């Protein structure tokens, strides 16, 4: 629905000149990212009417108490909140529906719940963000070992493969500071320079990342928000209901249209993480050139009487280009 954005996506658009001045915005989802995005939108003269945070008051209180070890982050949070002093911060609440206006297209309001009551909040834009999903494709492609959904690294950011280092969010979500220090460590370790002091900083940042993960874990109610007719992938109009019965990505990938869901999922993940959380968590490690190629091969073999030749040709072409692009890039990279 026009007017509904991923939180990071809307921030990126605004940075690129998308006008939000005077527009009523609801920022919903979970995590400190919501405050960062809301503050940025407010700075651009948007009217941020509320920030809707799904984490409970207890979880947030525990997280806030742990912030004394990270004064810079605490100060940043306080600053953001001060910038949003007119905005309601709704804790333990989540958006259950986006409502279109009288023209049937643009967003006009969202329905919000705290689990017991439901109310409507008028808005022109919804920025929805349920965690970040890092790009781990290259590590998966190279054959690096994974620790759950993240690339496994040692203290010097070495992966399981000799001479392959990994830094930043593919190794765990812990914010900008952690990503930058990890990059520094990886660079120094490559040059054979000791990184012991920097490793202590990373350990502190990792601890922050872990407490954030606990505090903003998604509540189970969010998994029942999508209805069977909710469109999961707009490119192919794949509905949530049509994915019912599939047990994992390998399973889903038998369907060419759902294969597209995989491709688009990374960008959709911020707004759809309640659904993708379970499925996407496996997606990162599975998503590789190998899978791209397998899908491309399947696409060629795919013949569906329901589709026109034009639509099929378009899909084959896009898949082939995707594979070629990746192959060429990898050849260049040696
Ligand atoms: C909207 C938003 C607001 C945020 N605000 C804050 C904040 O206020 N404070 C904070 O601490 N953190 C914030 N973060 C998180 C912070 O941006 C990340 O923690 C940090 O950028 C992670 O650094 P990184 O190097 O791991 O990844 P990135 O900065 O995302 O860099 C990864 C780069 O790799 C490129 N890439 C990915 N895959 C491929 C590929 N296959 N081939 C070639 N290139 C590829 C990407 O294009 C990108 O340029 C925010 C994040 C978002 C999305």
């Amino acid at each position: 629905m026009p007017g509904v954005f991923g939180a990071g996506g809307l921030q990126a658009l605004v940075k690129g000149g998308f006008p939000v001045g005077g527009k009523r915005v609801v920022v919903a989802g979970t995590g400190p990212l919501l405050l960062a995005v809301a503050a940025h939108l407010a700075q651009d003269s948007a009217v941020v009417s509320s920030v809707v945070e799904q984490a409970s008051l207890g979880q947030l209180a525990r997280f806030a108490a742990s912030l004394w070890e990270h004064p810079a982050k605490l100060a940043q949070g306080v600053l953001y909140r001060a910038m949003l002093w007119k905005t309601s911060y709704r804790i333990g609440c989540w958006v259950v529906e986006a409502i279109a206006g009288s023209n049937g297209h643009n967003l006009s309001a969202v329905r919000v719940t705290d689990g017991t009551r439901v109310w409507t909040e008028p808005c022109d834009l919804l920025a929805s963000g349920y965690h970040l999903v890092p790009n781990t494709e290259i590590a998966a492609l190279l054959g690096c070992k994974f620790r759950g959904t993240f690339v496994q690294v040692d203290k010097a950011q070495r992966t399981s493969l000799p001479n392959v280092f990994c830094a930043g969010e593919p190794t765990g979500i812990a914010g900008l500071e952690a990503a930058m220090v990890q990059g520094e460590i990886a660079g120094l370790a490559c040059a054979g320079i000791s990184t012991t002091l920097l490793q202590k900083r990373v350990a502190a940042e990792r601890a922050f990342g872990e407490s954030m993960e606990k505090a903003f874990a998604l509540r189970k109610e969010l998994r029942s928000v999508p209805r069977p007719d909710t469109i999961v992938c707009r490119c192919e109009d794949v509905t949530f209901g049509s994915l019912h019965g599939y047990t994992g990505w390998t399973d889903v990938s038998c369907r060419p249209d759902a294969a597209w869901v995989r491709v688009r999922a990374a960008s959709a993940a911020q707004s759809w993480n309640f659904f993708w959380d379970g499925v996407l968590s496996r997606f990162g490690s599975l998503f590789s050139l190998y899978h791209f190629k397998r899908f491309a091969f399947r696409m060629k073999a795919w013949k569906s009487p329901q589709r026109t030749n034009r639509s099929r040709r378009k899909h084959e072409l896009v898949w082939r280009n995707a594979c070629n692009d990746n192959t060429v890039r990898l050849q260049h990279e040696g």
Side-chain angles (χ1 to χ4, degrees), residues 272-283:
W272 284 101
N273 222 4
F274 39 83
F275 161 62
W276 297 114
D277 186 48
V279 191
L280 251 190
S281 56
R282 272 159 274 164
F283 160 74

Side-chain angles (χ1 to χ4, degrees), residues 288-301:
S288 63
L289 183 62
Y290 168 71
H291 287 85
F292 255 108
K293 281 189 170 170
R294 271 185 58 187
F295 283 126
F297 182 74
R298 281 183 189 170
M299 286 302 302
K300 281 184 195 162

Side-chain angles (χ1 to χ4, degrees), residues 5-8 26-35 37-38 50-56 59-60 89-96 110 112-113 126-132 215-219 222 269-274:
F5 293 86
V26 170
V27 180
T30 201
L33 177 65
L34 299 188
L35 277 182
V37 170
S50 55
V51 173
V52 181
E53 168 58 65
Q54 63 87 41
S56 69
Q59 281 171 298
L60 280 188
Y89 189 54
R90 304 192 189 287
I91 296 169
C93 298
W94 60 98
V95 168
V96 282
V110 287
V112 182
T113 184
L126 168 68
S128 173
Y130 289 88
H131 295 313
L132 302 170
F216 298 101
L218 298 186
R219 56 175 66 233
L222 288 167
Q270 285 192 353
S271 44
W272 284 101
N273 222 4
F274 39 83

Side-chain angles (χ1 to χ4, degrees), residues 171-293:
T171 68
I173 308 277
L176 186 61
E177 190 70 21
M180 287 174 67
V181 182
Q182 285 177 3
E184 220 173 310
I185 292 179
L188 290 170
C190 281
I193 300 169
S194 164
T195 57
T196 319
L197 284 177
L198 288 173
Q199 283 171 18
K200 282 188 189 147
R201 265 175 70 194
V202 164
E205 295 295 339
R206 277 218 184 101
F208 169 75
E210 278 160 20
S211 68
M212 200 166 63
E213 208 175 299
K214 264 189 217 149
F216 298 101
L218 298 186
R219 56 175 66 233
K220 66 177 186 329
E221 292 96 318
L222 288 167
R223 293 175 194 280
S224 55
V225 171
R227 294 189 309 231
D229 64 341
T230 300
I231 293 177
V232 176
C233 174
R234 193 160 291 287
C235 322
E236 291 288 334
D237 286 344
V238 179
T239 59
F240 182 64
S242 72
L243 296 176
H244 187 75
Y246 290 96
T247 52
W249 275 114
T250 327
D251 215 10
V252 176
S253 67
C254 300
R255 298 181 37 168
D257 51 355
W260 267 110
V261 175
R262 291 169 52 124
V263 178
R264 303 287 160 159
S267 58
Q270 285 192 353
S271 44
W272 284 101
N273 222 4
F274 39 83
F275 161 62
W276 297 114
D277 186 48
V279 191
L280 251 190
S281 56
R282 272 159 274 164
F283 160 74
S285 54
L286 288 172
F287 196 84
S288 63
L289 183 62
Y290 168 71
H291 287 85
F292 255 108
K293 281 189 170 170

